[in-house]
Amino acid sequence: TLENNLVQNTKLPDHQKNALQQYEDEARQNGSSVKSFRAYINSERFTNKSSQPQPVKKKSLSKRVSESLMHYGVPLRKKSNSITGLVKRASSGLNMGRSSELSVMFLGIGNAGKTTLFRQFVQMSKKGDGDLDNPYVPTDSFHTETISFQRQSFKLLDIGGSYGNRVHWMQHLRGVNTVIFVVAIDEYDQKNVDGDNSLLESLEVFEGMRRNIEINNINTILILNKVDVFKDKLCNQHINLNVSGLFPDARATEDFDEAMDWLKQQFRNHAGEGLEIHITTAINNKEVQQTIKEVARGIIKRQKALKWSALL
């Protein structure tokens, strides 16, 4: 009774209540008598606060944020106990830290237009519109370029989309932050050199690539290219989406928006509803430049968000 009353007495200091609770557990195991209990509560262990385990002092939020920022390489040039000051300097530090290179890989089957978009991405860091007057040369192996956009360094890699080159894609994925997969959607009614439907081939290649990228946690951006030719075929030439007979679930529609929704969903089925998708042509320089800038800003924003999520 004495033991229960003492344990339930809320006026007891926490360290004494904890000691009594500990004794209660020991007493039940060892069969201690009331006499030994009285000796226990009069002992130094019970009465001397300093003998009790002291709670671990938690670090302040400011201290924890500061240590995390330093761990992730965010420069903090001044010391401050203010969390507001830390956040401001952290934001500044993340911006200054953009010098760390982001690696972007352009992938897609042959004739998707990825090399043209790759060249536009490179041209984005220069003044004026992209120069697309040079003759188109299909990528037979791979091209690399390093550019700077909004004080962020990008390493760009364009790998050929032929079957022979695709077997080498995965070995180049190490260290890549983002994959831009390009699809020529105007080829929904066309066949490749092997006699297979080009759109179906893009879907199958995309699915296989995503299986590997999910393991490597690589961001994926989809660009549906040559939308102007696609629209002309669908709306003016009246070539329906299932002309090949390979897409029975495709609507027999000539509505451009409905057709685009169906196309996007085919790729989201393999990558999830959160897949980032852009549409463009490889001919209209201004439109392509605008799309590429949106893509680049999105990559920078995502990388910054990843740093903050790690900090918090």
Side-chain angles (χ1 to χ4, degrees):
T1 302
L2 172 62
E3 181 176 302
N4 290 335
N5 287 342
L6 285 172
V7 171
Q8 295 174 11
N9 187 347
T10 56
K11 292 183 180 181
L12 283 177
D14 287 342
H15 73 281
Q16 293 185 355
K17 291 179 68 175
N18 292 338
L20 286 169
Q21 187 64 54
Q22 181 180 354
Y23 173 79
E24 180 183 13
D25 296 336
E26 293 175 354
R28 287 174 178 172
Q29 293 179 0
N30 303 327
S32 301
S33 65
V34 174
K35 183 177 180 180
S36 63
F37 172 74
R38 288 174 178 172
Y40 176 84
I41 63 174
N42 290 323
S43 69
E44 182 180 359
R45 181 180 179 187
F46 178 79
T47 58
N48 186 1
K49 182 176 181 179
S50 61
S51 66
Q52 302 303 317
Q54 298 298 312
V56 178
K57 186 177 180 181
K58 292 184 177 180
K59 296 180 181 178
S60 68
L61 178 59
S62 175
K63 181 68 173 178
R64 282 182 286 146
V65 170
S66 178
E67 290 179 353
S68 296
L69 292 173
M70 297 300 293
H71 175 74
Y72 284 94
V74 179
L76 299 176
R77 292 176 292 182
K78 297 180 180 179
K79 294 183 178 180
S80 173
N81 294 325
S82 167
I83 188 63
T84 303
L86 273 174
V87 170
K88 287 182 178 180
R89 294 203 317 284
S91 178
S92 174
L94 287 170
N95 289 333
M96 291 187 292
R98 284 187 187 173
S99 58
S100 58
E101 196 171 65
L102 296 180
S103 181
V104 179
M105 182 184 292
F106 286 78
L107 297 179
I109 69 171
N111 201 39
K114 60 184 178 55
T115 299
T116 303
L117 294 173
F118 170 85
R119 290 162 60 193
Q120 283 282 20
F121 209 119
V122 173
Q123 191 66 30
M124 177 180 65
S125 63
K126 304 174 183 178
K127 293 182 180 180
D129 293 333
D131 179 15
L132 300 182
D133 295 332
N134 295 329
Y136 165 72
V137 179
T139 308
D140 56 357
S141 55
F142 62 89
H143 300 148
T144 59
E145 292 279 355
T146 300
I147 69 165
S148 179
F149 176 70
Q150 293 187 348
R151 296 181 291 112
Q152 173 63 59
S153 177
F154 287 90
K155 179 182 178 182
L156 308 178
L157 179 62
D158 173 28
I159 303 182
S162 66
Y163 180 78
N165 284 317
R166 277 180 238 158
V167 296
H168 303 294
W169 283 5
M170 299 311 168
Q171 71 186 55
H172 293 285
L173 283 174
R174 184 181 299 274
V176 170
N177 301 101
T178 299
V179 166
I180 297 177
F181 193 85
V182 184
V183 180
I185 59 175
D186 66 311
E187 296 185 349
Y188 68 96
D189 63 331
Q190 297 176 216
K191 295 182 179 181
N192 59 24
V193 294
D194 296 322
D196 300 321
N197 180 271
S198 294
L199 177 60
L200 183 61
E201 182 186 14
S202 285
L203 282 166
E204 291 174 346
V205 171
F206 181 78
E207 179 186 9
M209 181 199 70
R210 278 294 302 173
R211 281 199 298 266
N212 187 281
I213 287 179
E214 286 177 350
I215 297 175
N216 290 279
N217 193 30
I218 300 174
N219 181 39
T220 306
I221 297 174
L222 178 67
I223 294 183
L224 302 180
N225 195 25
K226 304 184 182 180
V227 67
D228 51 343
V229 182
F230 171 80
K231 188 174 184 178
D232 179 67
K233 282 186 174 182
L234 181 74
C235 302
N236 299 328
Q237 300 181 41
H238 311 293
I239 303 175
N240 68 68
L241 290 170
N242 192 33
V243 65
S244 64
L246 298 172
F247 306 107
D249 62 331
R251 293 185 178 182
T253 180
E254 294 181 3
D255 183 88
F256 174 73
D257 292 332
E258 285 187 19
M260 289 303 300
D261 288 342
W262 178 83
L263 274 170
K264 292 176 182 178
Q265 191 57 49
Q266 303 313 299
F267 289 92
R268 284 184 173 133
N269 289 341
H270 301 305
E273 293 298 321
L275 176 65
E276 181 181 341
I277 301 177
H278 298 267
I279 62 173
T280 188
T281 73
I283 299 175
N284 187 323
N285 286 10
K286 290 184 178 180
E287 180 181 324
V288 173
Q289 281 285 302
Q290 182 62 33
T291 299
I292 289 299
K293 287 179 180 179
E294 290 176 3
V295 170
R297 293 188 187 103
I299 294 173
I300 294 173
K301 184 177 180 180
R302 180 179 185 274
Q303 190 66 16
K304 188 173 181 179
L306 285 174
K307 286 187 177 181
W308 274 113
S309 64
L311 296 178
L312 300 178

